[in-house]
mmCIF file of all heavy atoms in Angstrom:
data_model
loop_
_atom_site.group_PDB
_atom_site.id
_atom_site.type_symbol
_atom_site.label_atom_id
_atom_site.label_comp_id
_atom_site.label_asym_id
_atom_site.label_seq_id
_atom_site.Cartn_x
_atom_site.Cartn_y
_atom_site.Cartn_z
ATOM 1 N N TYR A 232 3.751 43.797 23.664
ATOM 2 C CA TYR A 232 2.318 44.103 23.850
ATOM 3 C C TYR A 232 1.780 43.196 24.948
ATOM 4 O O TYR A 232 1.994 41.995 24.939
ATOM 5 C CB TYR A 232 1.579 43.880 22.523
ATOM 6 C CG TYR A 232 0.087 43.618 22.615
ATOM 7 C CD1 TYR A 232 -0.733 44.323 23.512
ATOM 8 C CD2 TYR A 232 -0.524 42.686 21.772
ATOM 9 C CE1 TYR A 232 -2.103 44.079 23.579
ATOM 10 C CE2 TYR A 232 -1.896 42.437 21.827
ATOM 11 C CZ TYR A 232 -2.674 43.129 22.746
ATOM 12 O OH TYR A 232 -4.029 42.878 22.811
ATOM 13 N N THR A 233 1.106 43.794 25.932
ATOM 14 C CA THR A 233 0.376 42.982 26.896
ATOM 15 C C THR A 233 -0.881 43.747 27.298
ATOM 16 O O THR A 233 -1.163 44.808 26.733
ATOM 17 C CB THR A 233 1.258 42.571 28.095
ATOM 18 O OG1 THR A 233 0.581 41.583 28.872
ATOM 19 C CG2 THR A 233 1.599 43.764 28.983
ATOM 20 N N GLY A 234 -1.649 43.226 28.238
ATOM 21 C CA GLY A 234 -2.893 43.915 28.560
ATOM 22 C C GLY A 234 -3.532 43.420 29.832
ATOM 23 O O GLY A 234 -3.036 42.500 30.491
ATOM 24 N N ARG A 235 -4.657 44.083 30.156
ATOM 25 C CA ARG A 235 -5.418 43.672 31.333
ATOM 26 C C ARG A 235 -6.880 44.040 31.135
ATOM 27 O O ARG A 235 -7.197 45.120 30.618
ATOM 28 C CB ARG A 235 -4.852 44.355 32.572
ATOM 29 C CG ARG A 235 -5.873 44.449 33.686
ATOM 30 C CD ARG A 235 -5.305 44.454 35.082
ATOM 31 N NE ARG A 235 -6.400 44.544 36.038
ATOM 32 C CZ ARG A 235 -7.052 43.502 36.550
ATOM 33 N NH1 ARG A 235 -6.695 42.278 36.235
ATOM 34 N NH2 ARG A 235 -8.063 43.669 37.388
ATOM 35 N N GLY A 236 -7.750 43.142 31.553
ATOM 36 C CA GLY A 236 -9.169 43.439 31.551
ATOM 37 C C GLY A 236 -9.540 44.011 32.905
ATOM 38 O O GLY A 236 -9.486 43.315 33.907
ATOM 39 N N GLN A 267 -2.781 47.250 26.614
ATOM 40 C CA GLN A 267 -4.204 47.441 26.301
ATOM 41 C C GLN A 267 -5.050 47.199 27.549
ATOM 42 O O GLN A 267 -4.953 46.141 28.170
ATOM 43 C CB GLN A 267 -4.622 46.450 25.207
ATOM 44 C CG GLN A 267 -6.096 46.546 24.833
ATOM 45 C CD GLN A 267 -6.481 45.562 23.729
ATOM 46 O OE1 GLN A 267 -6.094 44.395 23.766
ATOM 47 N NE2 GLN A 267 -7.241 46.033 22.760
ATOM 48 N N THR A 269 -8.714 46.530 28.454
ATOM 49 C CA THR A 269 -9.925 46.163 27.715
ATOM 50 C C THR A 269 -11.180 46.443 28.545
ATOM 51 O O THR A 269 -11.889 45.531 28.962
ATOM 52 C CB THR A 269 -9.865 44.680 27.305
ATOM 53 O OG1 THR A 269 -9.582 43.900 28.472
ATOM 54 C CG2 THR A 269 -8.796 44.434 26.270
ATOM 55 N N GLU A 272 -14.136 44.998 26.794
ATOM 56 C CA GLU A 272 -14.311 43.558 27.029
ATOM 57 C C GLU A 272 -15.059 43.308 28.338
ATOM 58 O O GLU A 272 -16.006 42.514 28.397
ATOM 59 C CB GLU A 272 -12.929 42.881 27.079
ATOM 60 C CG GLU A 272 -12.983 41.401 27.439
ATOM 61 C CD GLU A 272 -11.596 40.787 27.729
ATOM 62 O OE1 GLU A 272 -10.645 41.543 28.016
ATOM 63 O OE2 GLU A 272 -11.481 39.554 27.677
ATOM 64 N N LYS A 273 -14.641 44.005 29.378
ATOM 65 C CA LYS A 273 -15.262 43.748 30.687
ATOM 66 C C LYS A 273 -16.723 44.182 30.693
ATOM 67 O O LYS A 273 -17.571 43.557 31.307
ATOM 68 C CB LYS A 273 -14.457 44.431 31.795
ATOM 69 C CG LYS A 273 -13.102 43.790 31.990
ATOM 70 C CD LYS A 273 -13.222 42.294 32.335
ATOM 71 C CE LYS A 273 -12.035 41.518 31.838
ATOM 72 N NZ LYS A 273 -12.061 40.076 32.109
ATOM 73 N N GLN A 355 -8.763 42.702 20.573
ATOM 74 C CA GLN A 355 -7.569 42.239 21.290
ATOM 75 C C GLN A 355 -6.460 41.836 20.311
ATOM 76 O O GLN A 355 -5.280 41.820 20.668
ATOM 77 C CB GLN A 355 -7.920 41.079 22.241
ATOM 78 C CG GLN A 355 -6.728 40.629 23.063
ATOM 79 C CD GLN A 355 -7.079 39.979 24.392
ATOM 80 O OE1 GLN A 355 -8.132 40.228 24.974
ATOM 81 N NE2 GLN A 355 -6.182 39.150 24.891
ATOM 82 N N ILE A 378 4.286 39.073 22.735
ATOM 83 C CA ILE A 378 3.225 39.218 23.734
ATOM 84 C C ILE A 378 3.487 38.310 24.938
ATOM 85 O O ILE A 378 3.383 37.095 24.811
ATOM 86 C CB ILE A 378 1.847 38.836 23.133
ATOM 87 C CG1 ILE A 378 1.595 39.602 21.843
ATOM 88 C CG2 ILE A 378 0.734 39.066 24.156
ATOM 89 C CD1 ILE A 378 0.346 39.149 21.087
ATOM 90 N N CYS A 380 1.952 36.812 28.160
ATOM 91 C CA CYS A 380 0.603 36.702 28.727
ATOM 92 C C CYS A 380 0.446 35.369 29.447
ATOM 93 O O CYS A 380 1.269 34.470 29.275
ATOM 94 C CB CYS A 380 -0.467 36.835 27.647
ATOM 95 S SG CYS A 380 -0.451 35.527 26.413
ATOM 96 N N GLN A 384 -4.875 33.322 27.670
ATOM 97 C CA GLN A 384 -5.127 34.304 26.614
ATOM 98 C C GLN A 384 -4.745 33.784 25.238
ATOM 99 O O GLN A 384 -4.967 34.455 24.221
ATOM 100 C CB GLN A 384 -4.354 35.607 26.895
ATOM 101 C CG GLN A 384 -4.792 36.324 28.165
ATOM 102 C CD GLN A 384 -6.235 36.759 28.100
ATOM 103 O OE1 GLN A 384 -6.659 37.448 27.178
ATOM 104 N NE2 GLN A 384 -7.028 36.337 29.083
ATOM 105 N N PHE A 388 -4.737 34.831 20.550
ATOM 106 C CA PHE A 388 -3.575 35.028 19.688
ATOM 107 C C PHE A 388 -3.391 33.885 18.691
ATOM 108 O O PHE A 388 -2.725 34.054 17.680
ATOM 109 C CB PHE A 388 -2.346 35.318 20.556
ATOM 110 C CG PHE A 388 -2.585 36.533 21.415
ATOM 111 C CD1 PHE A 388 -2.604 36.455 22.805
ATOM 112 C CD2 PHE A 388 -2.892 37.748 20.814
ATOM 113 C CE1 PHE A 388 -2.892 37.575 23.576
ATOM 114 C CE2 PHE A 388 -3.183 38.874 21.581
ATOM 115 C CZ PHE A 388 -3.179 38.788 22.969
HETATM 116 N N1 LIG B 616 -8.270 39.832 27.817
HETATM 117 C C1 LIG B 616 -7.288 40.175 28.824
HETATM 118 C C2 LIG B 616 -7.921 40.068 30.236
HETATM 119 O O1 LIG B 616 -9.077 39.857 30.381
HETATM 120 C C3 LIG B 616 -6.730 41.554 28.626
HETATM 121 C C4 LIG B 616 -5.752 41.649 27.483
HETATM 122 C C5 LIG B 616 -5.908 42.405 26.336
HETATM 123 C C6 LIG B 616 -4.482 41.020 27.369
HETATM 124 N N2 LIG B 616 -4.826 42.291 25.539
HETATM 125 C C7 LIG B 616 -3.932 41.448 26.131
HETATM 126 C C8 LIG B 616 -3.756 40.167 28.209
HETATM 127 C C9 LIG B 616 -2.664 41.003 25.724
HETATM 128 C C10 LIG B 616 -2.503 39.712 27.780
HETATM 129 C C11 LIG B 616 -1.971 40.140 26.552
HETATM 130 O O2 LIG B 616 -7.210 40.213 31.202
#
Side-chain angles (χ1 to χ4, degrees):
Y232 157 40
T233 191
R235 157 151 180 89
Q267 179 179 45
T269 52
E272 175 190 20
K273 291 302 150 181
Q355 183 154 334
I378 308 172
C380 64
Q384 296 298 306
F388 302 117

